[in-house]
Amino acid sequence: MALASFILRFCSRYKIPVDLPKSAPNVVGHLEEIVAQLRKDRAKILGDVIDAEIDQLLIQFDSGVGESFGIARLNADEKKKVHDHISRIRKLIEDSDLTTRKKNALFERLNELAREVDLHGTRTDRFFSFAGDLAFV
């Protein structure tokens, strides 16, 4: 039953013209011939599916809606919370008895952290995400 549902959704999603019976019991009874038809038209179906996925990725990329597979993005509230915590850490460092040299080193790292929070993933994340997207396509 789950396989029949999967095949129905797959064919529907990619607009694959397969004569599918409407009721689930008939679909289960006709799975063999449906799979045979899918196998027969496999090259065309695969090309259509790949084209549909590429089109969807391009639409998401152009609209800014989609997100790459390997990148996590912080929303505005999360970024604000992180920046608030960084500000509190700055205050603690400022009020500490550390040497000026050590305070400056810590402030530099906090500045790097604040910059990283505002980016969408690290440089490495972006590279591997790009490589993963490229391999997927």
Side-chain angles (χ1 to χ4, degrees):
M1 199 62 133
L3 181 60
S5 176
F6 172 78
I7 290 173
L8 285 171
R9 291 185 70 202
F10 179 84
C11 291
S12 171
R13 178 175 181 179
Y14 295 107
K15 297 171 182 64
I16 298 170
V18 176
D19 295 328
L20 298 172
K22 296 295 179 198
S23 62
N26 289 340
V27 172
V28 173
H30 295 288
L31 276 179
E32 239 177 86
E33 63 189 67
I34 293 168
V35 170
Q37 187 176 353
L38 291 173
R39 280 187 178 152
K40 185 182 88 175
D41 299 330
R42 187 173 117 204
K44 181 189 180 322
I45 292 169
L46 184 58
D48 292 346
V49 169
I50 290 171
D51 289 345
E53 288 298 319
I54 290 173
D55 288 345
Q56 188 60 37
L57 285 172
L58 291 173
I59 288 167
Q60 288 178 351
F61 180 76
D62 289 341
S63 68
V65 171
E67 189 170 292
S68 195
F69 304 122
I71 295 180
R73 293 185 182 179
L74 297 173
N75 64 36
D77 290 336
E78 291 168 331
K79 286 182 181 183
K80 184 182 179 323
K81 285 180 186 177
V82 172
H83 283 293
D84 289 345
H85 288 300
I86 290 173
S87 294
R88 280 192 260 151
I89 294 170
R90 283 184 201 283
K91 180 73 172 139
L92 288 171
I93 293 170
E94 229 171 77
D95 296 342
S96 73
D97 292 334
L98 296 170
T99 64
T100 303
R101 184 175 176 189
K102 185 62 176 178
K103 285 182 183 182
N104 287 337
L106 291 171
F107 287 141
E108 283 179 32
R109 291 198 178 206
L110 283 176
N111 291 338
E112 288 175 31
L113 176 61
R115 266 193 311 276
E116 191 69 32
V117 166
D118 293 329
L119 292 176
H120 298 300
T122 64
R123 286 185 208 129
T124 305
D125 290 338
R126 289 189 298 275
F127 170 77
F128 282 118
S129 175
F130 170 74
D133 288 353
L134 184 64
F136 178 76
V137 171

